[in-house]
Amino acid sequence: MPQTTPFAAKFTPNPYSGTRTHYKQVEECRLLYHNNNLVSGSLEALIQHLVPTVDYYPDRSYIFTFLLSSRLFLHPFELMSRVCYLCVEHHRVGDPQIDKKRIRDIAPRIVQLLTEWTETFPYDFRDERMMRSLKEMTHRLALGDELSRRAMQRLIQRLLRKMTILGQYEETIATPAATQEKPASQKAKQHVVRREECVLSVCDDPFVLAQQLTHIEMERLSYIGPEEFIQAFVQKRPSGSRKSLFSKRRASNLEAYVEWFNRLSYLVATEICLPVKKKHRARVLEFFIDVARECFNIGNFNSMMAIITGMNMSPVARLKKTWSKVNTDKFEILEHQMDPSNNFYNYRTALRGATQRSSTAHTAREKIVIPFFSLFIKDIYFLNEACASRLPNGHINFEKFWELAKQVSEFLAWRQVICPFERNRTTLQYLISISIFTEDELQLASYESEGPENSVERDTRRSLRSSLSRM
């Protein structure tokens, strides 16, 4: 699991980090403070504030906030180029001995800054230009300090290992499950082919299944880079060009995590619609209600919401005879917890409780917080949309980015928790790769389980049979 640097996990918003004399010399490169809190500044001044000197090192929460938010204004490679220039080239005096001494004095701070960058935003260095800059900096530091050269080599080695792991993970989630492809002989049928294997034949303990869902959630969370939340907002260059700043990789792990939510919802609906007998469908319904409750108790709100979504899908919701065999009291309690009214007030209250429990936890299990991810992304999106990134005077609105960084840092704290539950490989494999119905297949399976109630539904069933037989 990728590590999270301490400054990201323990975020202190808006610290006073001091100013340097050269900011006051150039009016357009000033930083503005209010009550010792940095609130705005020109892009150039903010970049300079990131750059360490012999007697200055930026506050770690500032480093995280600026590295996170700066990509709204310039590509990480452009920032890297500016930082490298300001760290070394800008202050060269032309005397080899003086330049060598200066590099030796500042080298440890440069290494520290680049360590924090590579540890927290490793995906930035998939850009060949970023890696080239990193290696060039290693060469420059080697001229003045052998220890720093070795430190930079270790930094690059750790980065390459991490990028290899991240690449392997992305290849895994990008490979579609072979079991989802149905043989041609099955596609030609005018009814849904019901597989014999079902979730209860693999795992009939709601607590165990909730634990395995938590394993999947936490693994996928651990690979989401903090920059993905910001890159999702970047649609075009500030100049107005439609060319994306991140054409090669935008937010693939974030998108894959949202796709997992959708898969789990469809898996739940598929499992409920699979059994031919009403009593078996009712048993599966009750089982998933118990699984959702266990997810809530664990702090796995994302799986809980995916299960509720699956049970509320039209093909499941219309199974009135099946629902009549189920005690729905527990389900209604769960729905109440995830009620969207008042901006998901009940859920947000539960999330605050889980976050408080996590902050004072004595066991690994108590530390687990897995938010309802779609709502978490929506909150960040609306924060970005509601506040201007630039002020009328052209300054960067840094108050906005303190708040963005605070929310993303909370996510990083949740992300770094290690799942304490024992893995059940058979169950995990089933959840990840077992075939699930498409939307049309679900609807048809529902009609086959409990027949159409009116002419509209009969016409829909006839149309579904016809369209699925042609696939």
Side-chain angles (χ1 to χ4, degrees), residues 14-255:
N14 216 354
Y16 174 64
S17 300
T19 59
R20 286 172 283 179
T21 304
H22 64 271
Y23 291 151
K24 298 178 182 179
Q25 295 175 349
V26 184
E27 181 66 19
E28 65 268 21
C29 287
R30 69 189 188 277
L31 298 175
L32 295 184
Y33 290 82
H34 179 68
N35 294 331
N36 286 340
N37 293 324
L38 175 60
V39 295
S40 71
S42 68
L43 181 59
E44 182 62 27
L46 293 168
I47 292 173
Q48 290 179 350
H49 199 51
L50 178 70
V51 176
T53 65
V54 173
D55 55 0
Y56 165 81
Y57 190 78
D59 187 275
R60 303 184 81 193
S61 57
Y62 175 79
I63 295 172
F64 175 69
T65 301
F66 187 67
L67 290 180
L68 178 70
S69 60
S70 62
R71 60 199 71 233
L72 285 172
F73 308 100
L74 74 169
H75 195 284
F77 166 69
E78 296 170 316
L79 176 60
M80 183 72 163
S81 298
R82 287 292 298 148
V83 168
C84 290
Y85 173 77
L86 292 171
C87 280
V88 180
E89 300 298 334
H90 183 59
H91 296 287
R92 284 187 182 275
V93 298
D95 185 312
Q97 295 301 318
I98 295 177
D99 288 342
K100 184 176 181 178
K101 181 179 184 304
R102 183 188 176 281
I103 291 175
R104 184 171 60 248
D105 291 342
I106 197 176
R109 294 182 181 272
I110 297 175
V111 172
Q112 184 179 352
L113 176 64
L114 294 176
T115 297
E116 297 183 8
W117 194 335
T118 56
E119 287 292 328
T120 311
F121 301 96
Y123 282 124
D124 286 352
F125 294 86
R126 284 184 165 176
D127 187 328
E128 293 178 1
R129 297 170 297 177
M130 292 286 285
M131 287 300 297
R132 188 160 57 246
S133 293
L134 202 59
K135 292 175 181 178
E136 288 174 359
M137 180 60 75
T138 301
H139 175 70
R140 291 172 182 175
L141 295 183
L143 299 176
D145 184 17
E146 175 65 16
L147 291 177
S148 293
R149 183 189 69 82
R150 293 177 182 176
M152 286 293 293
Q153 286 181 334
R154 290 193 296 270
L155 179 155
I156 292 174
Q157 289 171 356
R158 289 195 303 270
L159 175 62
L160 291 174
R161 284 196 298 269
K162 178 174 288 191
M163 290 171 62
T164 297
I165 294 171
L166 293 172
Q168 291 171 345
Y169 166 75
E170 286 189 339
E171 287 180 7
T172 300
I173 61 174
T175 303
T179 52
Q180 300 216 16
E181 285 296 320
K182 298 187 174 57
S185 61
Q186 293 185 4
K187 292 179 181 178
K189 303 283 187 180
Q190 287 198 358
H191 60 82
V192 174
V193 177
R194 300 174 187 264
R195 51 179 165 81
E196 294 183 4
E197 191 176 21
C198 69
V199 67
L200 289 175
S201 67
V202 177
C203 177
D204 60 0
D205 186 333
F207 185 48
V208 172
L209 192 71
Q211 290 177 334
Q212 302 315 302
L213 289 172
T214 302
H215 264 296
I216 296 172
E217 298 275 358
M218 297 186 74
E219 179 184 44
R220 300 202 171 204
L221 276 180
S222 72
Y223 286 101
I224 297 174
E227 76 283 355
E228 295 192 46
F229 296 103
I230 303 301
Q231 287 171 194
F233 305 144
V234 181
Q235 300 298 327
K236 58 184 179 179
R237 286 185 177 275
S239 63
S241 167
R242 291 186 178 275
K243 183 178 179 181
S244 170
L245 294 178
F246 303 91
S247 56
K248 289 186 178 180
R249 177 190 181 275
R250 291 180 56 78
S252 59
N253 294 325
L254 188 151
E255 292 166 359

